[in-house]
Amino acid sequence: MSHQKALPILAPGPPPLLPSMASVPHQPSYRAPTDRVFYLVHTSQPTCLNRVRPPNPDIHRGKNPLLTPLLYDFRRMTARRKVNRKMSFHVIYKAPCGLCLRNMAEIQNYLFQTSCDFIFLEMFCLDPYVLVDRPFQPQRAFYYIQDITCGREDIPLSCVNEIDSTPPPKVAYNKERIPEDGVYINTSPEFLVGCDCTDGCRDKSKCSCHQLTLQATACTTGAQTNPNAGYLHKRLDECLPTGVYECNKRCKCCVQMCTNRLVQHGLQVHLQLFKTQNKGWGIRCLDDVAKGSFVCIYAGKILTDDLADKEGLEMGDEYFANLDHIESVEKIKEGYESEAHCSDSEGNGVDMSSMKIQPSALVSANPVGRPPKRAGQGGRSGGESNDEDDKDSKSDDESDSSDDTLVKDHYNSSSSVLGSYTTRGQSKGNKEGSQDSKDGMSASAGGADNQTPPFMPEETGKSKVASWLTSQGMKKDSGDGKSQAKMEAAKKQDVITISDSDDVLTISSGSDDNNKERDKLTHGVTKRPVAVKSTRGIALKSGHSLVVKTGTPAAGGGPGGHGGKTGPQGQPGGGGDNAHRNTRLFFDGEESCYIIDAKLEGNLGRYLNHSCSPNLFVQNVFVDTHDLRFPWVAFFASERIRAGTELTWDYAYEVGCVEGKELLCCCGSTKCRARLL
């Protein structure tokens, strides 16, 4: 018998190291009750909800707010109806007592009649394409945190990484604004206007806070008040550039039942922090979000302009946001009085014959800054929609355009000024040259009548910008004897470029030699520009008519209103009695807006990424102070958002504004501008 030597058994090698899977708790799906509820004729009163009234109002805290009424035995039913031979859908809520509620007004009245203090108006949605029982569940997770806020928000904010096991950056979470050195926010009740409403501010004509919102809309061109401004059933469908004034601690209305309190209640939508493929960390919604719903605010440290320059150069400016509410409103109302020509026969009339309407200013009867809509064109469309005419089924195949960030203001003239965005670094040069501007503005204004502009075949909005930039560049030389020759030479050398093909307006003026000469005119050291997100609610998009107001620089036509600095437009003098003075100068002569920095300390708003077709818009809201310099920067849904969709807003950067810095856009939108900086 031959004996063979047994071969040694090799132990299997260690398996390849794979990231450990984290367990994500599964949310149970909602099951609607099957029993039928019958209605008996009665008067709605608090006893209608005694059967479902909870002993603890926070029993369903952290769940989808749109699902909360169903958890209290409300029924949400979708019905079909035929309108003009086409089928459409509508939503009906049935109360626990059997009463059918067919619109938001009936729901609001029912909640007040029953003294419901555990279900609120923003928890109801009549959009049939918003599903309240469709939660988003991550497929896999290598890293998971149940709540990164550590209980600081009313709704837990989970964090998941489905790509690798990298944790999110370490940030001190804080949902409050943090004033830094040199920043004082007056939040005393004496600085607030309060209402005496006892009906939940349902009668808006008697609510002092809501009247502030309406009266502020008169600052726009035409000085006409928009009666539809403000919240409508706890939602804001479009941006209001003049701001929203909520009820405050001085008001006598009920904090929970007031219809003019929304942003101050904090986070209510179920969101999640997640790792994206190519944009770092982002925020997505775990449930469907209805159009006009409040999402979150942008919180962080509030810095002065000088401190922001220092920290921006040392630590980066990627989380800077401008508090430029004053500049936004000033740019809208700029040039309003210059258009109103009093006739000889009537002092308060408008001489339409002397008004020149430019071709680029003709926007038909459409709202300011919005392209005309075609018949049958709607918003966002999902696979559930079978209707084409009903307003609930208006939708797009991919996502709503970022045009929803614009204001549908039917009460403004079509020749309103739409201000473009700039960086604080660009407008800083305007501030540093403001002293020279003071000396040159009076001479420019005085010699405006004597100077004959060069012949132009057609006076369009673009040529107006060119002539305005030319006069601004040569205003220093307007006082000497060679001003006329220099002005003519500058007009030939300056080049104005307005790109209509891109979504972002790009304006460049002058050659490099001219820019160097202009830099010599300014005193002081020009600091390195930094990129800042703008918190305005208006942006210029492709396809929109560009309307530019002209006028003397002393009348507020300077570039200071474009960005964080007021520049020379706010300087008094030089324009006579009609000279425009920037509102910010009334705050102890301040010329620069404040900056929100959320790099090291802030809330979830810092994680919201940019998109050229965003689904959120920015809204300035006044809550704890009526100081125009310190509004709350709030985000609202500009469209219905499906569960699992990333939430984005438009940073409104200007391409090429920061020298030597280029930032590519990775939003993936069909309207992507390719570059942010």
Side-chain angles (χ1 to χ4, degrees):
M1 180 181 293
S2 61
H3 298 278
Q4 295 181 353
K5 188 177 180 180
L7 297 177
I9 300 176
L10 299 178
L17 296 178
L18 296 176
S20 59
M21 301 294 292
S23 60
V24 180
H26 181 74
Q27 297 182 0
S29 59
Y30 169 77
R31 292 187 177 182
T34 57
D35 57 321
R36 302 182 63 181
V37 179
F38 297 94
Y39 172 72
L40 298 177
V41 179
H42 67 283
T43 302
S44 299
Q45 50 189 338
T47 56
C48 295
L49 299 179
N50 285 346
R51 180 172 58 89
V52 298
R53 196 178 300 271
N56 182 15
D58 297 333
I59 187 174
H60 296 300
R61 177 187 177 186
K63 297 183 179 179
N64 181 13
L66 297 181
L67 185 62
T68 302
L70 279 64
L71 299 177
Y72 287 108
D73 207 17
F74 277 77
R75 310 291 175 89
R76 188 176 188 264
M77 302 174 295
T78 302
R80 294 184 300 177
R81 60 183 176 183
K82 183 174 292 187
V83 178
N84 296 331
R85 297 183 180 181
K86 294 184 178 180
M87 195 67 64
S88 63
F89 299 90
H90 66 282
V91 173
I92 299 176
Y93 278 91
K94 180 171 286 190
C97 61
L99 180 64
C100 289
L101 308 173
R102 296 175 174 83
N103 52 60
M104 296 299 291
E106 293 182 359
I107 296 175
Q108 177 177 275
N109 294 333
Y110 181 82
L111 295 179
F112 278 92
Q113 292 172 358
T114 57
S115 301
C116 183
D117 56 354
F118 54 95
I119 304 177
F120 307 105
L121 189 60
E122 61 267 25
M123 297 180 178
F124 294 85
C125 178
L126 298 182
D127 188 346
Y129 305 107
V130 173
L131 303 184
V132 301
D133 55 349
R134 182 174 53 186
F136 174 79
Q137 189 72 20
Q139 296 181 357
R140 58 178 182 175
F142 299 117
Y143 183 87
Y144 178 78
I145 301 177
Q146 186 175 2
D147 186 14
I148 65 172
T149 69
C150 299
R152 293 181 177 88
E153 295 281 5
D154 295 336
I155 304 295
L157 179 64
S158 60
C159 173
V160 64
N161 189 340
E162 303 173 276
I163 300 177
D164 50 42
S165 58
T166 305
K170 293 183 179 180
V171 178
Y173 196 92
N174 197 327
K175 65 177 183 178
E176 304 291 340
R177 300 182 299 173
I178 310 162
E180 291 294 299
D181 295 339
V183 180
Y184 172 71
I185 304 178
N186 189 355
T187 58
S188 61
E190 289 76 14
F191 201 68
L192 295 169
V193 175
C195 66
D196 300 327
C197 300
T198 58
D199 61 344
C201 300
R202 287 180 291 173
D203 189 353
K204 296 182 179 181
S205 62
K206 298 180 180 179
C207 179
S208 302
C209 301
H210 186 77
Q211 288 301 312
L212 288 177
T213 302
L214 299 183
Q215 294 169 8
T217 60
C219 295
T220 56
T221 306
Q224 296 184 5
T225 302
N226 183 0
N228 299 322
Y231 298 140
L232 178 62
H233 304 308
K234 288 294 192 75
R235 285 189 173 86
L236 189 67
D237 289 339
E238 58 189 18
C239 176
L240 195 62
T242 53
V244 174
Y245 292 81
E246 290 193 358
C247 291
N248 50 75
K249 55 187 176 183
R250 193 172 182 178
C251 300
K252 297 181 180 180
C253 55
C254 178
V255 176
Q256 298 294 333
M257 301 296 294
C258 177
T259 59
N260 196 36
R261 298 176 188 258
L262 182 59
V263 174
Q264 58 189 271
H265 290 321
L267 180 65
Q268 302 295 328
V269 184
H270 207 189
L271 305 178
Q272 184 178 74
L273 176 65
F274 75 106
K275 182 71 173 293
T276 65
Q277 289 288 345
N278 54 358
K279 296 185 293 183
W281 294 87
I283 297 291
R284 62 187 175 192
C285 57
L286 297 181
D287 300 294
D288 287 11
V289 179
K291 180 181 179 180
S293 301
F294 165 67
V295 177
C296 67
I297 65 172
Y298 194 93
K301 298 186 299 182
I302 300 182
L303 312 176
T304 60
D305 187 72
D306 294 334
L307 185 57
D309 285 330
K310 180 180 178 181
E311 292 197 3
L313 296 178
E314 294 178 355
M315 306 179 62
D317 55 8
E318 58 270 18
Y319 294 99
F320 279 6
N322 251 341
L323 290 176
D324 52 359
H325 171 70
I326 294 179
E327 284 70 26
S328 176
V329 179
E330 289 286 346
K331 199 60 185 175
I332 294 176
K333 68 179 182 179
E334 181 180 302
Y336 155 65
E337 292 186 358
S338 63
E339 283 192 344
H341 301 278
C342 295
S343 61
D344 298 336
S345 59
E346 189 175 0
N348 58 353
V350 179
D351 187 7
M352 299 299 296
S353 61
S354 61
M355 297 179 63
K356 297 181 179 180
I357 301 178
Q358 306 302 335
S360 60
L362 299 178
V363 200
S364 301
N366 296 295
V368 175
R370 298 186 66 88
K373 288 190 175 182
R374 295 183 295 269
Q377 180 182 2
R380 171 181 188 142
S381 74
E384 312 99 343
S385 176
N386 295 328
D387 176 45
E388 296 179 2
D389 291 342
D390 194 88
K391 63 180 180 180
D392 292 332
S393 62
K394 291 181 179 180
S395 50
D396 286 339
D397 293 335
E398 297 176 7
S399 62
D400 274 2
S401 171
S402 58
D403 295 343
D404 284 331
T405 60
L406 298 175
V407 183
K408 299 178 182 179
D409 196 348
H410 299 274
Y411 301 87
N412 295 344
S413 171
S414 61
S415 57
S416 299
V417 177
L418 298 181
S420 61
Y421 298 107
T422 185
T423 58
R424 294 166 41 258
Q426 289 177 311
S427 54
K428 181 177 292 297
N430 300 330
K431 174 187 173 184
E432 292 166 352
S434 60
Q435 185 65 29
D436 298 331
S437 302
K438 293 180 182 179
D439 301 334
M441 275 191 294
S442 58
S444 300
D449 298 335
N450 299 329
Q451 296 177 0
T452 303
F455 172 75
M456 294 184 183
E458 182 182 4
E459 183 68 7
T460 62
K462 298 181 181 180
S463 59
K464 282 189 173 184
V465 181
S467 60
W468 173 81
L469 287 173
T470 306
S471 61
Q472 283 295 105
M474 299 304 299
K475 60 186 176 184
K476 177 63 180 177
D477 300 328
S478 59
D480 54 27
K482 300 179 180 180
S483 59
Q484 184 68 22
K486 292 185 178 181
M487 287 286 287
E488 295 298 333
K491 289 178 181 178
K492 296 179 180 179
Q493 295 177 0
D494 286 352
V495 179
I496 178 70
T497 302
I498 300 181
S499 176
D500 293 331
S501 60
D502 297 334
D503 286 344
V504 172
L505 174 69
T506 303
I507 298 179
S508 59
S509 174
S511 60
D512 295 337
D513 296 336
N514 290 338
N515 293 333
K516 293 180 180 178
E517 293 297 331
R518 294 173 186 175
D519 293 340
K520 294 180 181 179
L521 298 178
T522 61
H523 61 83
V525 180
T526 303
K527 300 180 181 179
R528 177 185 175 186
V530 292
V532 188
K533 304 179 183 71
S534 177
T535 58
R536 303 183 190 180
I538 300 180
L540 288 176
K541 304 298 175 187
S542 63
H544 294 172
S545 299
L546 175 62
V547 185
V548 182
K549 291 292 177 194
T550 59
T552 61
H562 287 268
K565 305 276 187 184
T566 60
Q569 76 167 2
Q571 301 296 339
D577 297 337
N578 296 328
H580 172 67
R581 180 168 180 173
N582 193 290
T583 306
R584 190 175 293 276
L585 293 178
F586 290 96
F587 295 94
D588 296 331
E590 292 183 358
E591 297 183 359
S592 303
C593 57
Y594 293 91
I595 311 296
I596 300 180
D597 182 15
K599 183 177 182 62
L600 301 178
E601 187 172 5
N603 70 332
L604 63 98
R606 70 183 299 278
Y607 296 106
L608 293 173
N609 287 321
H610 163 83
S611 176
C612 298
S613 299
N615 48 27
L616 302 179
F617 67 85
V618 184
Q619 177 62 56
N620 291 318
V621 182
F622 296 93
V623 179
D624 55 353
T625 181
H626 286 170
D627 193 332
L628 298 178
R629 300 171 297 174
F630 302 107
W632 287 25
V633 181
F635 296 98
F636 287 81
S638 59
E639 60 187 39
R640 73 171 72 96
I641 307 174
R642 185 185 176 96
T645 306
E646 182 182 4
L647 304 181
T648 57
W649 63 296
D650 192 345
Y651 287 176
Y653 285 142
E654 183 179 348
V655 177
C657 60
V658 180
E659 183 179 358
K661 187 173 183 179
E662 181 176 341
L663 183 62
L664 300 180
C665 182
C666 303
C667 67
S669 170
T670 56
K671 300 181 180 180
C672 182
R673 302 189 288 263
R675 282 185 59 184
L676 285 177
L677 288 175

